[in-house]
């Protein structure tokens, strides 16, 4: 017998028939296994969630510490915290919106939600405000260094107290605490104690800047010299002008209707011949009008170079122009002729005025109107100092001392202009006016100032000098962003890299062009 035959075969188990109960128990066992697995998984997830929440909660003091003490960016080797950066960001943003609110509204932009709108092709307004904030920080740090070197000392206590009092009043008016108000204005990490150093630094550097500005004011000789080189920008002219329009035909000679490609009636377009004939006739009429232009033309007085018709500007402001000169100028675009006669060119020497003003909305419902404010002033000491106190209490425009310098006596409504220009006006005179712009004004007359042309040049030259000064002391201040917080720096880096790459390509292609040119030259010689 073979070995195989000696082994006993295991009995074969007959397949068991699954009853309904068996299937139910099997399903229960499988569900129990899944439940145990799910429970284990849930326990793991639960532990992770608890750890994550704990880490998040624990990160609050860490993030606060980093915002207050950590480095957000480096400026001139000095670390700038998130608190300090947010303060300068707010100041830059607020200043920009205050100066440009009218233009922003004209463009249909919501100034309250402007940060994520596009400032340029590559930058959002947030990017731009960050750039302004960094520039302000650079200027501030550079000015502080200059002030220290010069031994400049300035007591910031009074101005700091005034600023904090204004902020507290803002918080009260908003119905919130000082802490919440500071955070809403200057970022989520702002507190009075954290901002104090930054604010005091700003007060100090502003005072130093003003001292430098006062010592850098242009002299009368510098102003006169600049005027002589740019007379067209500050002189005005008186002249007479009349316009002779070419009488272009408005219908076809045969009276037919003009239709477009879709069969719609459109205005008749004169032919070149018809236009030339009409212009020729207008030229003859203009030549006739030129003879009597000084007596028959419309008078224009005190017109600047920018305000006159561009076709007449150079002629009217020509140094060789003399009284009684006339001209006829063709306006081909407008199909007309301008006939002008020159009267005189001069500089307006009318003095401007300095005033203090309390501005109140005409729709104010507080019951404290302009007239009642004036009566309150009159019933008190009625001094300039007491008027300044009322300015701080009642001004709607935020100018606490209410001072406006160099106001043109043609810049407001007719009645207010006449009051300011009155030769009998004396320091301390007051009046109330209602203007069409929706505001009432309480005016306090301070005195006269230089003519508008001189103030314009003074401001321009001083601005140029101070810009050069700031550029000189802060232009080379380094800005480092190790954490990549500032997108505008990334945009600038990308643009610089692209420009460098383009320049390299141009340089690389230059030899090829040179070789080709050499080969062509050799062929020509051969």
């Amino acid at each position: 017998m073979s070995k195989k035959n000696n082994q006993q075969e295991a009995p074969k188990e007959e397949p068991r028939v699954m009853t309904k109960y068996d299937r139910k128990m099997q399903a229960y066992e499988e569900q129990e296994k899944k439940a145990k697995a799910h429970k284990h998984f849930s326990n793991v997830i639960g532990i992770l969630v608890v750890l994550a929440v704990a880490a998040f909660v624990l990160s609050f003091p860490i993030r606060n510490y980093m915002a207050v003490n950590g480095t957000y960016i480096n400026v001139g080797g000095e670390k700038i915290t998130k608190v300090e950066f947010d303060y300068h960001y707010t100041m830059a943003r607020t200043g920009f919106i205050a100066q440009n609110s009218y233009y922003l509204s004209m463009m249909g932009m919501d100034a309250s939600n402007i940060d994520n709108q596009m400032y340029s092709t590559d930058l959002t307004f947030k990017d731009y405000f960050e750039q302004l904030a960094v520039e302000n920080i650079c200027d501030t740090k550079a000015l502080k260094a200059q002030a220290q070197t010069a031994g400049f000392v300035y007591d910031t206590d009074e101005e700091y107290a005034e600023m904090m009092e204004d902020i507290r009043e803002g918080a009260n008016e908003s119905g919130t605490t000082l802490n919440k108000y500071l955070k809403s204005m200057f970022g989520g990490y702002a507190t009075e104690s954290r901002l104090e150093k930054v604010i005091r630094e700003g007060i100090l550097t502003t005072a130093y800047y003003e001292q430098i500005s006062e010592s850098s004011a242009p002299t009368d000789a510098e102003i006169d010299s600049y005027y002589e080189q740019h007379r067209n920008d500050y002189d005005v002219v008186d002249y007479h002008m009349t316009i002779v329009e070419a009488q272009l035909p408005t219908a076809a000679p045969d009276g037919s209707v003009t239709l477009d490609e879709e069969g719609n009636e459109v205005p008749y377009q004169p032919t070149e011949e018809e236009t030339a004939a009409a212009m020729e006739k207008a030229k003859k009429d203009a030549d006739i009008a030129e003879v009597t232009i000084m007596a028959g033309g419309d008078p224009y007085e005190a017109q600047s170079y920018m305000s006159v018709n561009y076709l007449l500007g150079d002629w009217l402001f020509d140094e060789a122009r003399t009284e009684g000169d006339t001209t006829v100028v063709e306006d081909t675009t407008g199909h007309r002729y301008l006939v002008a006669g020159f009267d005189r060119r001069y500089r307006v020497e009318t003095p401007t005025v300095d005033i203090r003003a309390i501005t109140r909305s005409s729709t104010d419902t507080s019951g404290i109107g302009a007239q009642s404010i004036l009566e309150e002033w009159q019933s008190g000491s009625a001094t300039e100092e007491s008027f300044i106190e009322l300015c701080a209490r009642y001004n709607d425009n935020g100018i606490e001392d209410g001072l406006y310098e160099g106001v043109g006596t043609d810049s407001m409504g007719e009645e207010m202009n006449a009051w300011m220009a009155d030769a009998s006006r004396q320091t301390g005179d007051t009046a109330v006016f209602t203007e069409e712009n929706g505001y009432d004004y309480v005016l306090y007359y301070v005195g006269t100032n230089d003519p508008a042309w001189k103030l314009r040049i003074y401001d321009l030259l001083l601005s140029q000098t101070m810009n050069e000064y700031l550029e000189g002391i802060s232009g080379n201040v380094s800005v480092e962003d190790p954490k990549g917080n500032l997108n505008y720096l990334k945009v600038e880096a990308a643009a610089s890299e692209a420009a460098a790459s383009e320049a390299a390509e141009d340089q690389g292609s230059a030899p090829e062009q040179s070789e080709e040119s050499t080969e062509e030259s050799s062929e020509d010689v051969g």
Side-chain angles (χ1 to χ4, degrees):
M1 292 177 65
S2 67
K3 188 175 181 181
K4 180 179 178 181
N5 289 336
N6 289 334
Q7 291 178 340
Q8 292 184 353
E9 294 182 3
K12 294 181 180 179
E13 185 176 354
E14 293 291 328
R16 182 167 176 251
V17 178
M18 294 286 287
T19 65
K20 183 177 181 180
Y21 173 79
D22 292 330
R23 285 193 294 270
K24 183 176 181 180
M25 291 303 294
Q26 185 181 31
Y28 174 79
E29 290 172 358
E30 291 175 355
Q31 183 64 31
E32 189 175 24
K33 290 178 182 178
K34 291 180 181 178
K36 288 180 180 179
H38 179 72
K39 183 178 180 181
H40 176 71
F41 180 74
S42 297
N43 288 338
V44 173
I45 294 298
I47 293 171
L48 292 176
V49 169
V50 170
L51 291 174
V53 171
F56 183 70
V57 172
L58 290 173
S59 74
F60 282 134
I62 295 173
R63 282 185 292 156
N64 280 332
Y65 178 85
M66 291 304 296
V68 176
N69 301 291
T71 300
Y72 189 71
I73 59 173
N74 280 294
V75 173
E78 182 175 344
K79 75 173 185 179
I80 305 300
T81 65
K82 184 71 165 66
V83 174
E84 184 172 1
F85 180 84
D86 286 349
Y87 174 82
H88 283 280
Y89 179 92
T90 298
M91 300 301 285
R93 183 183 189 278
T94 303
F96 177 87
I97 291 175
Q99 293 176 14
N100 299 281
S101 58
Y102 174 76
Y103 301 103
L104 293 173
S105 63
M106 288 291 289
M107 292 187 290
M109 302 183 74
D110 180 10
S112 64
N113 186 29
I114 196 175
D115 297 62
N116 292 324
Q117 299 181 58
M118 296 306 296
Y119 170 77
S120 66
T121 305
D122 302 313
L123 299 178
T124 64
F125 272 94
K126 178 177 181 293
D127 297 331
Y128 178 64
F129 295 147
E130 288 181 341
Q131 185 176 13
L132 290 181
V134 171
E135 290 174 0
N136 290 344
I137 293 171
C138 289
D139 290 343
T140 298
K141 300 306 179 183
L143 283 167
K144 184 178 73 171
Q146 290 286 309
Q148 291 173 343
T149 301
F152 178 78
V153 178
Y154 188 79
D155 187 354
T156 61
D157 288 348
E158 183 178 350
E159 288 185 45
Y160 177 75
E162 289 176 355
M163 183 172 181
M164 289 310 303
E165 182 59 31
D166 290 341
I167 293 175
R168 287 189 180 89
E169 288 180 6
N172 291 333
E173 291 174 2
S174 300
T176 187
T177 64
L178 175 62
N179 233 15
K180 290 181 179 178
Y181 189 69
L182 287 172
K183 285 177 169 55
S184 69
M185 288 182 64
F186 301 112
Y189 302 105
T191 64
E192 181 178 359
S193 61
R194 292 170 183 172
L195 288 174
E196 181 174 355
K197 179 182 177 183
V198 182
I199 294 173
R200 286 184 182 274
E201 185 178 76
I203 294 171
L204 171 72
T205 53
T206 298
Y208 183 70
Y209 177 88
E210 290 175 352
Q211 176 179 286
I212 297 298
S213 179
E214 289 175 6
S215 64
S216 304
T219 64
D220 286 345
E222 290 171 331
I223 291 173
D224 289 338
S225 175
Y226 185 87
Y227 163 76
E228 290 299 333
Q229 297 173 47
H230 303 85
R231 290 187 59 192
N232 280 7
D233 295 332
Y234 301 97
D235 282 356
V236 296
V237 293
D238 293 346
Y239 65 100
H240 286 72
M241 184 179 72
T242 191
I243 298 175
V244 179
E245 303 279 358
Q247 301 303 310
L248 301 177
T250 58
D254 59 2
S256 60
V257 176
T258 305
L259 304 176
D260 61 15
E261 295 178 355
E262 298 177 356
N264 300 313
E265 185 174 351
V266 294
Y268 175 72
Q269 297 297 320
T271 64
E272 292 183 5
E273 291 77 10
E274 290 172 330
T275 299
M279 288 294 286
E280 184 179 353
K281 173 64 169 62
K283 178 62 167 64
K284 293 178 180 178
D285 294 338
D287 290 339
I288 295 173
E290 183 180 9
V291 177
T292 57
I293 186 62
M294 300 304 295
D298 295 326
Y300 292 82
E301 297 181 347
Q303 299 296 300
S304 68
Y305 182 86
M306 296 302 295
S307 66
V308 303
N309 187 290
Y310 75 98
L311 294 172
L312 291 174
D314 289 341
W315 183 83
L316 286 169
F317 282 83
D318 191 327
E319 293 288 348
R321 195 63 49 233
T322 60
E323 182 180 358
D325 286 353
T326 63
T327 189
V328 174
V329 179
E330 181 181 13
D331 180 359
T332 55
T333 303
H335 299 116
R336 60 184 186 172
Y337 284 90
L338 308 179
V339 185
F342 181 80
D343 290 308
R344 63 176 182 140
R345 170 177 173 167
Y346 56 101
R347 195 172 66 186
V348 177
E349 299 293 353
T350 305
T352 58
V353 299
D354 296 342
I355 59 172
R356 296 190 187 274
I358 299 174
T359 306
R360 302 288 289 176
S361 171
S362 300
T363 59
D364 183 83
T365 57
S366 66
I368 305 175
Q371 186 60 43
S372 64
I373 293 173
L374 178 59
E375 291 170 0
E376 180 181 346
W377 177 77
Q378 291 170 335
S379 65
S381 58
T383 63
E384 185 171 358
E385 288 71 22
S386 65
F387 193 90
I388 293 172
E389 292 174 4
L390 294 181
C391 287
R393 285 168 54 192
Y394 295 123
N395 239 332
D396 280 349
N397 58 14
I399 302 178
E400 292 192 356
D401 62 1
L403 181 61
Y404 293 85
E405 297 178 297
V407 180
T409 55
D410 59 351
S411 59
M412 300 299 291
E414 187 175 343
E415 290 185 10
M416 193 183 297
N417 286 338
W419 184 83
M420 292 189 296
D422 191 336
S424 65
R425 193 66 50 228
Q426 294 182 350
T427 300
D429 286 353
T430 54
V432 171
F433 296 95
T434 297
E435 292 285 283
E436 294 181 358
N437 61 7
Y439 285 92
D440 296 336
Y441 297 90
V442 187
L443 297 188
Y444 178 97
Y445 186 83
V446 178
T448 58
N449 204 329
D450 288 325
W453 72 267
K454 188 171 185 177
L455 292 178
R456 284 175 58 200
I457 297 177
Y458 177 96
D459 290 341
L460 175 64
L461 294 181
L462 181 57
S463 176
Q464 289 176 346
T465 299
M466 295 309 296
N467 284 340
E468 290 172 3
Y469 169 74
L470 284 177
E471 237 178 79
I473 65 173
S474 66
N476 294 322
V477 173
S478 62
V479 177
E480 298 174 358
D481 181 23
K483 298 178 181 178
N485 291 312
L486 305 178
N487 183 59
Y488 86 88
L489 289 177
K490 300 174 186 175
V491 173
E492 287 182 353
S496 178
E497 185 178 343
S501 176
E502 184 177 347
E505 289 179 4
D506 291 343
Q507 289 178 356
S509 62
E512 294 179 7
Q513 294 175 354
S514 177
E515 288 172 8
E516 290 174 2
S517 301
T518 304
E519 290 175 2
E520 290 175 2
S521 300
S522 299
E523 290 175 3
D524 291 340
V525 173

